[in-house]
Amino acid sequence: MHFYGTEIKSRLLLGTAQYPSPAILAEAVQASGTEIITVSLRRETADGSGAGFWGSLQDTGCRILPNTAGCHTVQEAVTTARMARELFGTPWIKLEVIGHSDTLQPDVFGLVEAARILSGEGFQVFPYTTDDLVVGEKLLDAGCEVLMPWGAPIGSGQGLRNPDALRAMRAHFPEVPLIVDAGIGRPSDAAQAMELGMDAVLLNTAVAKAGDPAGMARAMAQAVEAGRLGYKADPMERRDMAVPSTPVLGMAEFA
Amino acid sequence: MITIAGAGLVGLACAYELAQRGAAVTVYERGETPGDSSVARYAGGMLAPWCERESAEEEVITLGSRAFDWWARVTTVHRRGTLVVAPSRDRAELTRFARRTTGHRGVDGSAIANLEPALAGRFTQGLLFEQEAHLDPRRALRDLTAKVQEMGVGIRYGAPAPAGVMLDCTGMAAPLAGLRPVRGEMAILHCPEVEIRRTLRLLHPRMPLYLVPRGDGHFMIGGTMIESSSDRPVTLRSLSELLSAAFALHPAFAEASVVETGAGLRPAFPDNLPRLTKQDGKLYLNGLYRHGFLLAPAMAQQAADRLIPETSDEDHRERQTA
């Protein structure tokens, strides 16, 4: 799997907010086996000392995907992205332009506009979007090479609210890396996303707010792996009627 | 003579413990006046180990349970418990909070109204942590300062600690590996129309709030936890979220005066637990994070235990070599 030409092996991406402590965050990152962690620049500022929160994130050895979480306007998101590039020296940016403060759903109009501006400036944009196909197309037109459709509202843990739309997305964009971002609550949700053919899953709250974050990170990693293997193995079709799994021809004979 | 750097909450608590054990103590404080550079002045002053366990390690309870009697010897402690509520649409937050904590009992709408008549009809479900308490941080710091001075502790204001200082309690100013700042923001409201007697926590997925009564119609509100080293004044977003949350708690807060706002940097280690460490011959007590008033007593006792035998050993050696 490649994101903007970079080969990535782990199909689980992890957010770094809301953990009980940086020590527990580090355990969870390790248990998840992730290669990519997202970091919010909206509120947490780098101090360059290496001793702070940044330092603990850099110590994980993961690739950092800065995000524009909490940005409500194009201008805010673009400014945050530029700051992120400066701080981390990465062209990657997970672009969020929030349209509604209660549902945190993306403002897809602002998202496309911000994606166009940032792509033009050489950013490699990972847009947090809905499962709308037309919006997906517009994002690709704007220069995005990855799409991050939501599963459910951020932090809601509702799982995939519209699996059919995600399946349609897979069919419509067969070559574009699709990462389900937001809404995953349980390992079964992550497995379901992967079974639908998504390339990866990004989650945060489901691990950070679990009673045992490291344990949940491990469970999510295995679910992602299982879902991916299941997808690749071409699952059987559902049937309405039972079919015996053992042969019925030839009855047992009692001598 | 035991020397301490920093007359903030931690330094003063250590001075108290050492003086109690009969040691002569001098505290050096770079600030000109009491409380000048202490982040504790922005604290909530909650003694709430059971609530804190929601996101903290078990130590907050084992170490924090000593705080109640300790502070009661120094200042006024209000043992009225903590009431945790959530708006009905965020009830899942309450379920989660209850599952992650102990020492509480569920309360319904009428029990909430009995406990805090101002909240009658506003919340139908909550958790009461009966054993918890709160104090007024600034008053507690003043009382603790007066207490240790009464016990003979010398506090030198405007005086940086000498090179050989034995115990360093300088918070974010200490040169300790792994220590990081966690920014907290608060506001003080004056709203005589609302009478609330105990600490309230309003659970909300995005803007959790705690409100601590300070008496005379004053309330401290806070709740932000930001991984940042910026000590600039409170941001508009944080303030508006805090104020909206207070308004959600009770609409009469709309008419409250915002008497003060503040932001401080709390020192924390990666596990968010305090540490007593020895480095370059000096003892450091640091990393009390958001649990300053809760954990200072137990940690100060540990620091005193470490310092008193060491001091007496040295005295012993000095006598032998003399």
Side-chain angles (χ1 to χ4, degrees):
Chain A
M1 177 179 60
H2 289 81
F3 298 149
Y4 291 98
T6 301
E7 194 191 348
I8 302 295
K9 291 197 177 67
S10 170
R11 293 176 181 273
L12 176 59
L13 288 73
L14 206 60
T16 56
Q18 303 183 68
Y19 288 80
S21 70
I24 292 174
L25 162 62
E27 280 172 30
V29 168
Q30 195 172 10
S32 74
T34 187
E35 290 167 65
I36 301 172
I37 53 176
T38 64
V39 181
S40 158
L41 250 94
R42 188 63 187 72
R43 314 199 69 192
E44 294 157 0
T45 55
D47 59 2
S49 74
F53 187 64
W54 283 155
S56 60
L57 294 181
Q58 279 153 351
D59 287 348
T60 62
C62 292
R63 208 173 273 279
I64 286 179
L65 173 57
N67 68 36
T68 62
C71 290
H72 284 254
T73 65
V74 172
Q75 192 51 49
E76 219 182 341
V78 167
T79 307
T80 305
R82 289 175 184 151
M83 278 170 56
R85 178 157 68 176
E86 212 161 291
L87 286 167
F88 287 106
T90 174
W92 281 12
I93 188 76
K94 184 192 147 189
L95 183 62
E96 285 185 25
V97 182
I98 299 301
H100 189 264
S101 58
D102 266 356
T103 60
L104 298 180
Q105 69 189 74
D107 166 1
V108 293
F109 304 95
L111 182 69
V112 172
E113 191 184 335
R116 186 169 292 120
I117 294 170
L118 291 171
S119 297
E121 293 180 13
F123 280 93
Q124 297 174 339
V125 179
F126 295 62
Y128 164 61
T129 180
T130 64
D131 47 31
D132 189 288
L133 297 182
V134 180
V135 173
E137 280 177 352
K138 303 256 181 216
L139 286 167
L140 298 183
D141 288 345
C144 298
E145 293 177 19
V146 172
L147 295 175
M148 304 182 92
W150 64 353
I154 296 174
S156 68
Q158 292 175 358
L160 308 183
R161 289 238 294 224
N162 195 350
D164 291 327
L166 292 173
R167 188 181 291 113
M169 239 181 146
R170 178 72 292 165
H172 196 70
F173 301 111
E175 303 301 329
V176 180
L178 298 178
I179 307 170
V180 168
D181 176 13
I184 302 293
R186 287 153 195 267
S188 52
D189 303 331
Q192 187 192 11
M194 296 308 293
E195 283 176 25
L196 290 172
M198 299 293 114
D199 292 279
V201 163
L202 193 166
L203 51 86
N204 185 346
T205 312
V207 167
K209 292 288 188 187
D212 172 8
M216 188 57 82
R218 197 169 296 118
M220 288 293 185
Q222 291 181 4
V224 165
E225 169 105 36
R228 178 68 187 174
L229 288 173
Y231 173 70
K232 294 293 283 181
D234 190 11
M236 64 169 282
E237 289 305 312
R238 283 174 198 268
R239 297 191 187 103
D240 290 331
M241 295 298 154
V243 178
S245 50
T246 47
V248 286
L249 287 174
M251 301 301 288
E253 286 175 30
F254 297 96
Chain B
M1 170 68 70
I2 291 179
T3 50
I4 299 177
L9 166 61
V10 177
L12 291 172
C14 290
Y16 177 84
E17 278 299 319
L18 288 160
Q20 279 239 310
R21 287 158 164 77
V25 182
T26 303
V27 186
Y28 296 89
E29 168 55 51
R30 63 182 175 157
E32 295 290 337
T33 49
D36 237 12
S37 57
S38 171
V39 68
R41 70 189 186 281
Y42 298 124
M46 292 175 284
L47 303 179
W50 293 278
C51 278
E52 286 298 307
R53 182 69 178 91
E54 184 253 338
S55 61
E57 306 286 342
E58 182 67 21
E59 280 90 335
V60 293
I61 296 178
T62 50
L63 296 172
S65 52
R66 289 179 223 179
F68 301 95
D69 292 337
W70 196 96
W71 281 110
R73 289 197 293 274
V74 172
T75 189
T76 311
V77 174
H78 305 282
R79 301 191 195 211
R80 293 173 188 156
T82 302
L83 180 60
V84 180
V85 292
S88 49
R89 67 173 204 177
D90 295 320
R91 203 163 284 172
E93 300 295 316
L94 205 59
T95 312
R96 178 180 180 279
F97 200 92
R99 217 166 55 218
R100 298 284 156 76
T101 53
T102 56
H104 56 73
R105 65 179 169 89
V107 283
D108 62 9
S110 64
I112 291 172
N114 273 332
L115 290 163
E116 295 291 353
L119 299 183
R122 303 199 53 75
F123 298 95
T124 54
Q125 227 181 351
L127 297 169
L128 179 66
F129 292 75
E130 265 173 321
Q131 304 168 78
E132 296 190 338
H134 68 270
L135 49 74
D136 176 342
R138 292 175 197 185
R139 184 170 164 193
L141 284 173
R142 275 200 308 274
D143 291 346
L144 184 56
T145 305
K147 192 95 178 176
V148 297
Q149 283 173 330
E150 216 171 86
M151 293 162 89
V153 172
I155 307 179
R156 309 265 169 81
Y157 291 104
V165 73
M166 296 156 82
L167 176 61
D168 184 301
C169 304
T170 56
M172 277 318 302
L176 293 174
L179 197 66
R180 75 184 201 286
V182 181
R183 180 178 157 95
E185 296 158 309
M186 55 80 84
I188 292 180
L189 308 179
H190 184 235
C191 189
E193 294 79 18
V194 178
E195 201 191 328
I196 289 171
R197 298 178 64 250
R198 52 178 59 71
T199 299
L200 296 184
R201 290 189 186 221
L202 177 69
L203 303 183
H204 187 280
R206 277 176 296 121
M207 38 186 195
L209 173 89
Y210 55 76
L211 176 142
V212 191
R214 288 278 167 84
D216 297 329
H218 286 88
F219 300 93
M220 183 272 187
I221 56 173
T224 54
M225 298 288 300
I226 306 169
E227 295 284 350
S228 168
S229 60
S230 166
D231 61 355
R232 68 184 173 127
V234 64
T235 61
L236 186 145
R237 171 178 291 210
S238 294
L239 187 60
S240 69
E241 285 184 354
L242 285 175
L243 298 178
S244 314
F247 182 63
L249 208 52
H250 200 293
F253 279 118
E255 292 305 316
S257 305
V258 181
V259 181
E260 186 191 330
T261 63
L265 299 180
R266 295 165 287 198
F269 287 108
D271 56 3
N272 291 342
L273 287 175
R275 281 184 201 170
L276 190 60
T277 49
K278 192 138 194 184
Q279 184 176 306
D280 306 324
K282 195 190 288 184
L283 200 59
Y284 289 85
L285 177 51
N286 215 317
L288 275 78
Y289 182 51
R290 57 185 272 170
H291 304 126
F293 283 92
L294 183 62
L295 300 185
M299 294 311 294
Q301 284 166 355
Q302 289 183 19
D305 290 344
R306 285 276 288 274
L307 281 165
I308 295 287
E310 285 176 28
T311 318
S312 50
D313 280 356
E314 272 165 31
D315 288 347
H316 187 61
R317 270 201 301 280
E318 271 168 27
R319 272 199 300 279
Q320 279 186 327
T321 49

